[in-house]
Amino acid sequence: MILFAEIPLANKIPGQTQVSVSVYVRERKGSARITMSFSTKDRHVVVSAPKRTTKTFLREFITKHQGWIEKQVAKHGAVAKEFAPGVIVPYRGRPYALAHEESNKVLVKPDGDLFFVRAALTRIDTHVRRWLLKQAMDDCTIASLQFAKALNVTVAKVSVKAMHTRWGSCSSAGNLNYNWRLILAPEEVLTYVCAHEVAHRVHMNHSKAFWDTVAKVCPNYEKARAWLKKNGSSLYAFG
Ligand SMILES: [Zn+2]
């Protein structure tokens, strides 16, 4: 894969400093098709093209799809922000300004309008992530167990991880995975995602019966779902 171009972004993303996105070209064997994808993990564009494709053709192809590229970058966030002094932390849907105090004794505590972090400067990001992950784990576990009880189903293991494209998942064995960024969203959004995944223990599909089950335990789920659709990508500002 080679770096082919650095494309300037026409639309600035709120809260981001990124002004361009890298486009890589990968040689594609045995096919005449050109395809383009966006790597949410590396936050760059990959164009797969047959070996003999000219640079001019590639450039035109990329220009033609500039709109799509902009949309992908906006949707998946640009270069990930780190938790640092002054950064706004959207904890449980409320904005807190990160305030730092240099110390060897670690303390993370949202307080008033401040997200107070006592730690070594270089370790802020690590400690804030660890703390948020723990809160997400606690909230997701409590909600999942509550919904499991209400729906009379079992759940196996509840995990919270860095998921790149999904908010949650439910395996046939009953293992529930949640995206840690849900802790940044309003509480009812996290609750809805838990209701959704646990409802998959009743229906392993998205049928009408499935949504009726979600509604039974989470009557206002449509509002939370709409919030995620509209604002979900903003939670990816933090990598
Ligand atoms: Zn689902």
Side-chain angles (χ1 to χ4, degrees), residues 53-195:
T53 313
T54 64
K55 282 189 174 169
T56 313
F57 190 92
L58 282 172
R59 238 174 253 123
E60 279 169 8
F61 181 82
I62 292 162
T63 307
K64 212 169 98 190
H65 294 92
Q66 172 92 16
W68 182 87
I69 293 173
E70 302 257 349
K71 237 165 98 184
Q72 295 303 310
V73 176
K75 188 173 158 195
H76 299 293
V79 169
K81 262 199 291 198
E82 280 205 350
F83 292 105
V87 157
I88 299 299
V89 183
Y91 173 58
R92 288 191 171 129
R94 274 196 53 205
Y96 295 84
L98 198 152
H100 171 243
E101 191 183 285
E102 186 72 30
S103 171
N104 291 328
K105 246 180 127 186
V106 176
L107 174 81
V108 178
K109 192 171 186 260
D111 193 1
D113 296 329
L114 296 179
F115 198 91
F116 190 72
V117 183
R118 198 176 279 161
L121 183 65
T122 53
R123 302 277 295 157
I124 297 175
D125 189 64
T126 307
H127 288 301
V128 171
R129 272 165 207 276
R130 198 174 287 167
W131 190 86
L132 288 171
L133 204 83
K134 162 104 176 46
Q135 304 304 313
M137 185 65 196
D138 289 352
D139 286 17
C140 288
T141 304
I142 290 168
S144 298
L145 294 179
Q146 265 173 7
F147 289 129
K149 201 173 164 202
L151 292 172
N152 203 20
V153 292
T154 57
V155 295
K157 198 170 164 242
V158 177
S159 313
V160 168
K161 354 182 130 156
M163 299 169 96
H164 291 289
T165 53
R166 308 171 77 177
W167 297 110
S169 69
C170 174
S171 76
S172 52
N175 291 317
L176 306 176
N177 289 318
Y178 295 105
N179 191 322
W180 73 270
R181 294 176 184 85
L182 286 169
I183 198 65
L184 306 175
E187 278 174 68
E188 58 269 25
V189 173
L190 179 144
T191 308
Y192 151 66
V193 175
C194 294

Side-chain angles (χ1 to χ4, degrees), residues 166 168-170 192-193 196-197 200 203-206 210-211:
R166 308 171 77 177
S169 69
C170 174
Y192 151 66
V193 175
H196 181 125
E197 298 314 332
H200 277 315
H203 303 280
M204 251 312 179
N205 53 44
H206 293 111
F210 165 80
W211 288 112

Side-chain angles (χ1 to χ4, degrees), residues 14-29:
Q16 297 285 343
T17 50
Q18 187 180 6
V19 291
S20 64
V21 61
S22 307
V23 178
Y24 286 81
V25 172
R26 181 193 284 146
E27 244 174 53
R28 196 184 175 114
K29 281 180 197 135

